[in-house]
């Protein structure tokens, strides 16, 4: 590990943010294809609060994490990149808007003066409009990359047939039987554990009768089993396994963004990726963060954030440090370790992770054995080394 003394302030940060509370969200257990969900007032509030926290952390000149030269009150749109995962309806894009309202709240300072001398304040007392990009606009399946991915579906089937899954399923069976009266039409098959927890959580949050009759600990038990399954689904035995696909397709954006920030011509200070829970699980696994903090192996809460902060040490090397805040119930960031260190050089970060990434449509099609959907039909698969599963563990 290199000397971590940093010059004052950060150069920039990439923020991975989970959306806020939402309506029910069904995911097919055999594909993880999902239905639409909508953000709720609770979710908007969670994201807004997170935006305020990030404002206090990164835009406050008295904060040790102040980002050098960032505009503090009136947004400079060239300093922000905002991208939202378009999978699962409007919840993620609207979460990004709520977060931005906390990060750069309305201000009269955002007024402009026209050539004829008239000053104009934006609506709502100076609302600051920040352009965001929606994931599905770009062809490269960098977000929601597990959908339509055939090898990911094989991975699911393999998990459901594994002895650890069957064993856990047996352990969970008495609980799932007791939970049956609280599931309505939702199947209590253990493969459906994500949807089971989501149903219980949404009902418990919004249905007064349900809130009053659900036995104590049932919500926590459902979460425990759901987290266990999600960890198995969105990690893998190796860093470049198909189970890690949510982060393998997001890391190129992270690496490119951090690389851009090291350039003198760079203007972008904050790169915000609004996503769902899956990439967090894979990220904590591929960076070995769960080795030093085993309790982060579960699912992150709504409005959680991972910050990858870029700074420069006294030798002039660029360094990356990873912090995490598990939703609104954590009031502060906690420092995580990547590969055992609180901070690693950007070169080392890239060296340890870039080889695992899927960085183009072509690469994704081949890694998933998808030959038609999501822009894959334009490629020639006759030389596809993965077509028959070579090197993927899925041959035969
Ligand atoms: C997943 O959903 C998309 C549409 O959202 C559909 O085109 C695709 O066929 C579905 N894939 C599977 C495996 O069900
Ligand atoms: C911040 O601005 C000052 C003055 O314009 C400049 O010297 C410095 O290099 C800038 N720092 C960064 C990180 O852009
Ligand atoms: C100045 O321009 C704005 C926008 O076109 C217009 O609404 C306003 O009436 C003009 N003011 C004067 C004093 O001409
Ligand atoms: C099955 O679960 C039990 C505890 O419920 C544990 O002791 C055992 O090691 C597990 N076996 C496997 C193969 O995971
Ligand atoms: C549970 O669901 C899986 C598919 O998700 C299916 O293969 C299995 O047969 C189901 N088990 C029962 C007992 O219905
Ligand atoms: C609320 O929960 C009760 C008890 O489970 C259930 O009977 C009722 O259908 C639920 N209401 C709604 C709107 O889902
Ligand atoms: C990553 O997840 C796999 C299970 O998919 C597990 O075997 C491995 O220990 C995890 N690695 C870390 C560093 O937690
Ligand atoms: C990095 O900079 C290039 C050139 O300005 C730009 O096209 C690209 O979108 C940037 N990438 C990221 C992830 O910020
Ligand atoms: C976040 O906190 C919840 C409790 O509110 C916990 O169940 C979950 O495991 C935590 N997730 C992580 C990634 O730390
Ligand atoms: C990450 O953890 C695994 C054990 O899960 C270990 O084999 C590997 O060496 C670690 N990698 C680094 C770079 O620390
Ligand atoms: C994408 O990854 C491949 C290796 O898989 C690498 O050769 C290529 O340079 C990468 N492209 C970019 C733009 O980083
Ligand atoms: C990959 O897809 C091709 C074309 O759909 C199919 O012929 C082949 O069997 C698939 N490979 C595997 C390992 O499933």
């Amino acid at each position: 590990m290199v000397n971590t003394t940093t010059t004052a302030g950060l150069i920039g940060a990439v923020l991975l943010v989970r959306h806020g509370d939402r309506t029910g969200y069904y995911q097919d257990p055999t594909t993880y294809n999902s239905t639409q969900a909508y953000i709720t007032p609770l979710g908007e509030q969670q994201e807004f609060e997170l935006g305020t926290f990030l404002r206090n952390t990164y835009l406050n000149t008295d904060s040790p994490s102040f980002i050098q030269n960032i505009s503090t009150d009136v947004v400079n749109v060239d300093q922000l990149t905002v991208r939202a995962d378009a999978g699962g309806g409007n919840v993620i894009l609207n979460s990004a808007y709520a977060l931005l309202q906390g990060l750069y709240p309305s201000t009269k300072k955002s007024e402009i003066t026209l050539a004829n001398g008239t000053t104009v304040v934006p609506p709502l007392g100076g609302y600051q409009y920040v352009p965001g990009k929606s994931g599905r606009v770009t062809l490269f399946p960098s977000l929601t990359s597990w959908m339509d991915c055939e090898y990911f579906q094989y991975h699911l089937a393999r998990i459901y047939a594994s002895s650890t899954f069957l064993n856990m399923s047996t352990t969970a069976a008495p609980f799932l039987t007791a939970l049956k009266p609280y599931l309505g039409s939702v199947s209590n098959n253990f493969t459906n554990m994500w949807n089971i927890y989501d149903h219980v959580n949404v009902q418990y949050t919004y249905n007064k009768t349900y809130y009053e009759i659900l036995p104590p600990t049932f919500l926590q038990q459902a979460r425990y089993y759901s987290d266990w399954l999600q960890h198995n689904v969105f990690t893998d035995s190796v860093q470049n396994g198909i189970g890690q696909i949510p982060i393998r397709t997001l890391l190129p954006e992270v690496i490119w963004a951090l690389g851009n920030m090291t350039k003198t011509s760079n203007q972008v200070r904050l790169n915000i990726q609004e996503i769902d829970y899956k990439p967090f699980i894979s990220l904590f696994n591929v960076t070995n963060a769960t080795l030093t903090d085993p309790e982060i192996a579960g699912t992150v809460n709504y409005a959680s954030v991972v910050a990858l902060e870029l700074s420069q040490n006294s030798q002039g090397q660029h360094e990356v440090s990873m912090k995490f805040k598990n939703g609104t119930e954590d009031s502060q960031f906690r420092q995580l370790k990547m590969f055992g260190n609180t901070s690693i050089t950007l070169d080392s970060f890239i060296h340890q992770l870039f080889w695992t990434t899927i960085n183009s449509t072509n690469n994704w099609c081949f890694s998933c054995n998808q030959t038609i959907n999501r822009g894959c039909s334009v490629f020639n698969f006759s030389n596809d080394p993965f077509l028959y599963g070579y090197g993927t563990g899925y041959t035969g």
Side-chain angles (χ1 to χ4, degrees):
M1 197 170 106
V2 293
N3 183 349
T4 58
T5 316
T6 53
T7 51
L10 298 175
I11 297 168
V14 176
L15 304 177
L16 309 182
V17 178
R18 188 181 177 197
H19 59 76
D21 183 75
R22 48 151 178 71
T23 56
Y25 178 66
Y26 177 81
Q27 305 194 93
D28 182 331
T30 60
T31 61
Y32 276 71
N33 243 14
S34 54
T35 57
Q36 302 273 309
Y38 297 92
I39 195 165
T40 63
L42 174 60
E44 290 155 6
Q45 198 62 46
Q46 291 165 337
E47 292 288 315
F48 182 82
E49 274 179 42
L50 175 60
T52 306
F53 167 82
L54 295 169
R55 173 173 179 74
N56 292 333
T57 306
Y58 294 119
L59 309 186
N60 172 358
T61 48
D62 294 332
S63 159
S65 306
F66 176 67
I67 295 176
Q68 293 167 36
N69 296 357
I70 197 163
S71 185
T72 55
D73 295 316
V74 178
V75 68
N76 172 350
V77 294
D78 293 334
Q79 293 184 338
L80 289 182
T81 300
V82 182
R83 210 166 63 126
D85 180 339
N90 80 346
V91 60
I92 300 184
L93 192 54
N94 283 343
S95 289
Y97 292 139
L99 176 125
L100 288 167
Q101 287 171 8
L103 187 66
Y104 280 107
S106 294
T107 172
K108 294 249 159 36
K109 291 183 197 163
S110 62
E111 70 180 18
I112 56 157
T113 304
L114 305 179
N116 70 10
T118 303
T119 58
V120 182
V121 178
L124 303 167
Y127 182 95
Q128 308 203 57
Y129 295 80
V130 179
K133 277 183 265 177
S134 171
R136 286 260 169 97
V137 173
T138 58
L139 260 186
F140 167 42
S142 140
L143 302 168
T144 68
S145 54
W146 52 91
M147 285 195 207
D148 296 320
C149 180
E150 180 172 280
Y151 287 148
F152 180 72
Q153 291 160 24
Y154 287 13
H155 165 75
L156 290 169
R158 196 172 62 167
I159 289 173
Y160 299 152
S162 69
S163 61
T164 43
F165 176 87
L166 296 170
N167 193 17
M168 197 56 145
S169 159
T170 307
T171 308
F175 169 67
L176 289 177
T177 301
L179 189 64
K180 184 81 184 141
Y182 305 95
L183 290 180
S185 60
V186 175
S187 156
N188 74 343
N189 186 322
F190 192 52
T191 59
N192 203 39
M193 199 60 231
W194 158 268
N195 297 311
I196 294 169
Y197 170 69
D198 198 62
H199 175 83
V200 174
N201 188 37
V202 170
Q203 289 289 316
Y204 188 78
T205 308
Y206 290 102
N207 179 338
K208 188 164 192 295
T209 315
Y210 198 91
Y211 178 80
E212 284 163 356
I213 63 173
L214 186 73
T217 79
F218 273 31
L219 179 67
Q220 289 75 13
Q221 289 189 69
R223 176 153 186 168
Y224 169 79
Y225 290 119
S226 174
D227 280 7
W228 180 87
L229 183 56
Q230 295 313 297
H231 181 262
N232 280 272
V233 169
F234 295 107
T235 62
D236 215 315
S237 54
V238 287
Q239 279 177 301
N240 64 343
I242 200 72
Q244 320 272 24
I245 195 163
I247 200 65
R248 290 177 62 204
T249 53
L250 188 53
L251 273 172
E253 178 82 7
V254 171
I255 288 170
W256 292 328
L258 291 169
N260 277 1
M261 286 175 192
T262 66
K263 296 181 185 149
T264 45
S265 60
N266 170 66
Q267 295 215 62
V268 178
R269 307 264 182 253
L270 274 178
N271 178 299
I272 300 172
Q273 304 283 326
E274 191 88 34
I275 51 179
D276 82 347
Y277 66 95
K278 304 174 184 81
F280 294 92
I281 298 176
S282 315
L283 175 67
F284 294 158
N285 188 273
V286 297
T287 56
N288 273 6
T290 38
L291 279 189
T292 32
D293 292 281
E295 64 282 7
I296 61 166
T299 306
V300 303
N301 286 333
Y302 292 134
S304 283
V305 59
V306 161
L308 292 156
E309 298 181 347
L310 185 72
S311 59
Q312 212 164 4
N313 67 21
S314 50
Q315 285 104 58
Q317 287 171 304
H318 288 101
E319 292 194 340
V320 185
S321 175
M322 183 159 79
K323 293 177 178 169
F324 170 54
K325 185 168 111 64
N326 189 8
T328 39
E329 66 187 50
D330 276 359
S331 64
Q332 291 304 322
F333 268 131
R334 71 191 276 186
Q335 176 75 55
L336 298 182
K337 289 188 174 169
M338 289 189 283
F339 310 110
N341 298 309
T342 52
S343 158
I344 60 176
T345 62
L346 178 59
D347 287 347
S348 162
F349 180 84
I350 294 170
H351 174 74
Q352 310 241 39
L353 295 169
F354 194 73
W355 70 277
T356 70
T357 67
I358 294 171
N359 67 8
S360 65
T361 301
N362 183 298
N363 205 325
W364 181 85
C365 304
F366 281 53
S367 304
C368 286
N369 200 38
Q370 174 57 263
T371 54
I372 300 157
N373 295 340
R374 302 189 79 170
C376 294
S377 60
V378 300
F379 301 109
N380 174 0
F381 292 88
S382 59
N383 295 321
D384 179 354
F386 293 101
L387 198 56
Y388 300 102
Y390 303 134
T392 62
Y394 294 116
T395 35

